[in-house]
Amino acid sequence: MSNPWEEISLDDYEKHMSLDSVRQLQALDSLMKEQFAAYPVETAAVMGVAGGNGLEHIDTDKFRIVYGVDINADYLRAVSQRYTQLSEVLECLHINLINETEKLPQAQLLIANLLIEYIGCGAFQRAVLQTAPRYVSCVIQINTDAEQWVSESPYLRAFDRLDEVHHQMEEETLSAAMNDIGYSLILKETYPLPNGKALVRLDFKKNEG
């Protein structure tokens, strides 16, 4: 059976995420600006790149290559069309992060925003080990209502199958999983959202030695 993310239209996803009652697209855009600027790196991998929200913040003087990784080929086509100005730097990779992590290239910075919830900690650990970054910057969603982790919206039906792959993610669980593979937490920031949810950014650095 296909992964639910292969069937969700980019239009439905982006319209839902940008609603005034959700505002996650806007929050993630400003977060990615900070993530791209935060560390002295010249290669990065954005896992779960979707339609490329936030990629306009890639500094082509700083980055030699940025990989945009997603399971949905239509999303990647949209990214390539939207960001032609990044064609010298941006490389889109069609990879299923649950069972194709061996295809991932190495990069100094790994960005994973609202991704780990859909692949689980084990798959994310494998992705990190394969990519071998010095820095990992993640955003997870904290929910006040465990039953309704997808915000109410006119586009809700588009996400019906996500229950099949959704893993509720907690800060402690992710930090422990990263510690297990040699990464230590170096930053935590919380960003409240309009509907009682919050985004939490957790950055990790590879332990020396």
Side-chain angles (χ1 to χ4, degrees):
M1 182 178 277
S2 66
N3 186 292
W5 279 110
E6 295 175 272
E7 299 177 1
I8 297 171
S9 83
L10 185 59
D11 190 56
D12 283 347
Y13 171 71
E14 291 185 335
K15 283 179 176 174
H16 167 80
M17 292 285 280
S18 60
L19 286 169
D20 281 342
S21 58
V22 179
R23 293 194 66 80
Q24 291 195 16
L25 212 65
Q26 297 90 327
L28 288 171
D29 180 77
S30 58
L31 268 163
M32 285 190 74
K33 182 177 183 179
E34 296 172 13
Q35 289 172 310
F36 280 127
Y39 302 110
V41 295
E42 58 177 16
T43 60
V46 181
M47 299 194 180
V49 72
N53 178 47
L55 295 186
E56 68 271 18
H57 302 301
I58 293 173
D59 180 352
T60 53
D61 290 329
K62 173 180 179 175
F63 284 97
R64 184 164 45 83
I65 189 161
V66 176
Y67 301 102
V69 180
D70 210 280
I71 193 174
N72 188 311
D74 291 336
Y75 293 3
L76 295 173
R77 276 190 284 274
V79 170
S80 296
Q81 290 164 3
R82 289 173 173 181
Y83 295 98
T84 52
Q85 77 276 19
L86 296 175
S87 59
E88 299 294 312
V89 173
L90 183 63
E91 183 177 335
C92 291
L93 301 174
H94 184 214
I95 296 174
N96 183 332
L97 291 169
I98 295 173
N99 55 25
E100 296 180 329
T101 46
E102 74 281 357
K103 294 182 179 180
L104 288 167
Q106 294 196 340
Q108 296 162 330
L109 169 65
L110 189 161
I111 296 174
N113 296 339
L114 302 187
L115 166 85
I116 308 165
E117 290 93 331
Y118 300 106
I119 66 172
C121 272
F124 187 61
Q125 286 176 314
R126 292 192 296 275
V128 172
L129 290 170
Q130 176 68 24
T131 312
R134 187 166 188 208
Y135 302 96
V136 179
S137 185
C138 316
V139 173
I140 61 174
Q141 178 180 302
I142 302 300
N143 306 309
T144 51
D145 182 353
E147 295 302 310
Q148 187 65 25
W149 51 270
V150 177
S151 299
E152 190 64 48
S153 92
Y155 308 100
L156 205 55
R157 294 306 300 271
F159 305 100
D160 278 352
R161 284 189 56 212
L162 285 185
D163 275 327
E164 298 170 24
V165 291
H166 183 260
H167 313 253
Q168 181 54 47
M169 192 53 54
E170 305 296 339
E171 300 165 39
E172 296 78 10
T173 307
L174 179 56
S175 292
M178 292 297 288
N179 283 334
D180 285 347
I181 58 170
Y183 286 80
S184 297
L185 184 68
I186 56 170
L187 177 79
K188 174 189 168 182
E189 293 181 347
T190 302
Y191 301 80
L193 295 170
N195 51 13
K197 302 182 190 318
L199 298 180
V200 178
R201 174 182 165 190
L202 301 169
D203 286 13
F204 301 88
K205 185 178 180 182
K206 187 173 178 61
N207 298 334
E208 303 293 338

